[in-house]
Amino acid sequence: MSGVLAAGATVLALLTSALVPQAAASDPPDGPPTERVRADLARVNGSGCPQGTVAVAVAPDNSGFNLFYSSHTARVGLGSAPVDFRKNCQVALDFRVPDGWTIAVQWPAEHHGYAYLEEGASATLKTALRYEGQEPGPAFTHEFSGPYDELLFVREGDARETPPYRALCPEDGTVRLVVDSRLRVLAGTSDPETTSSFIGLDATSWPVGSLYDLSWSRCPGE
């Protein structure tokens, strides 16, 4: 774990170079605003994201954003504490949008990381979005079974079947989006006394993290 935490500074240094947003499925006629949009970490809670281990970057053209984690890993077996099999992270992002604009999350989204699961072990990744003060957006569950030893590449949602998740027009120019992610790994029939298994959304092993596309629309009266 010390190596993962030490790599947090590396993640922050890679924010700009690692930001590779997907092409949005369909953009509104107005397109993204030309004014550079900022996203701030308003709140970070959870066992999977200690202070200083999460970062966010918005694409230069405002077409999406990346979340980076450097300690969001669940593990079981050798070297693990009893509580390590489950990790959660809730990140509240404040998007400072130009006057008269609002955002929508477009699908699909992507998550990157790494998983090592012994034969008989299993893991789960759950994700969900919500704008504060609105109904929750889509939630997704992804299951993995051992043996498994490779980089994670998880795509969720479908541009044709999953509607964009749109924020209400903000009154103060700030849209707060809350991103939830939960990791769990179970030993199953593997032997936790002699083996270990883990799953992580760890941008230090593949500096990409979680990617979300954004589309933009004008608010009524603008």
Side-chain angles (χ1 to χ4, degrees), residues 1-121:
M1 292 298 291
S2 59
V4 173
L5 292 173
T10 302
V11 175
L12 294 174
L14 289 167
L15 289 180
T16 302
S17 61
L19 185 63
V20 186
Q22 309 165 61
S26 60
D27 290 325
D30 295 320
T34 56
E35 179 182 342
R36 185 68 185 271
V37 172
R38 189 175 85 246
D40 298 325
L41 293 172
R43 186 177 67 244
V44 178
N45 294 322
S47 58
C49 46
Q51 187 69 28
T53 64
V54 178
V56 61
V58 178
D61 62 356
N62 301 325
S63 64
F65 69 95
N66 279 33
L67 270 180
F68 300 85
Y69 307 91
S70 62
S71 188
H72 196 6
T73 299
R75 61 181 71 245
V76 68
L78 290 173
S80 303
V83 297
D84 288 344
F85 79 100
R86 179 184 291 142
K87 297 291 180 178
N88 69 289
C89 184
Q90 183 184 88
V91 181
L93 302 171
D94 278 352
F95 287 87
R96 315 294 183 176
V97 301
D99 290 342
W101 290 88
T102 192
I103 61 173
V105 174
Q106 296 278 117
W107 308 99
E110 291 183 5
H111 304 285
H112 301 260
Y114 203 94
Y116 177 85
L117 303 173
E118 291 283 346
E119 185 171 359

Side-chain angles (χ1 to χ4, degrees), residues 48-208:
C49 46
Q51 187 69 28
T53 64
V54 178
V56 61
V58 178
D61 62 356
N62 301 325
S63 64
F65 69 95
N66 279 33
L67 270 180
F68 300 85
Y69 307 91
S70 62
S71 188
H72 196 6
T73 299
R75 61 181 71 245
V76 68
L78 290 173
S80 303
V83 297
D84 288 344
F85 79 100
R86 179 184 291 142
K87 297 291 180 178
N88 69 289
C89 184
Q90 183 184 88
V91 181
L93 302 171
D94 278 352
F95 287 87
R96 315 294 183 176
V97 301
D99 290 342
W101 290 88
T102 192
I103 61 173
V105 174
Q106 296 278 117
W107 308 99
E110 291 183 5
H111 304 285
H112 301 260
Y114 203 94
Y116 177 85
L117 303 173
E118 291 283 346
E119 185 171 359
S122 62
T124 304
L125 163 65
K126 293 185 176 182
T127 64
L129 298 177
R130 64 179 174 88
Y131 298 111
E132 286 202 349
Q134 294 185 220
E135 290 295 315
F140 301 91
T141 299
H142 309 278
E143 305 283 354
F144 307 89
S145 299
Y148 193 105
D149 182 11
E150 58 185 279
L151 291 168
L152 286 180
F153 176 78
V154 176
R155 178 170 285 188
E156 60 191 16
D158 185 283
R160 292 167 295 183
E161 299 178 3
T162 312
Y165 181 42
R166 186 177 184 273
L168 297 175
C169 290
E171 296 181 357
D172 60 355
T174 299
V175 174
R176 177 164 289 186
L177 175 65
V178 181
V179 182
D180 277 296
S181 57
R182 299 173 183 271
L183 298 170
R184 187 182 70 172
V185 59
L186 300 176
T189 59
S190 68
D191 184 359
E193 299 296 326
T194 59
T195 65
S196 62
S197 297
F198 70 87
I199 182 172
L201 295 180
D202 179 6
T204 59
S205 59
W206 184 0
V208 180

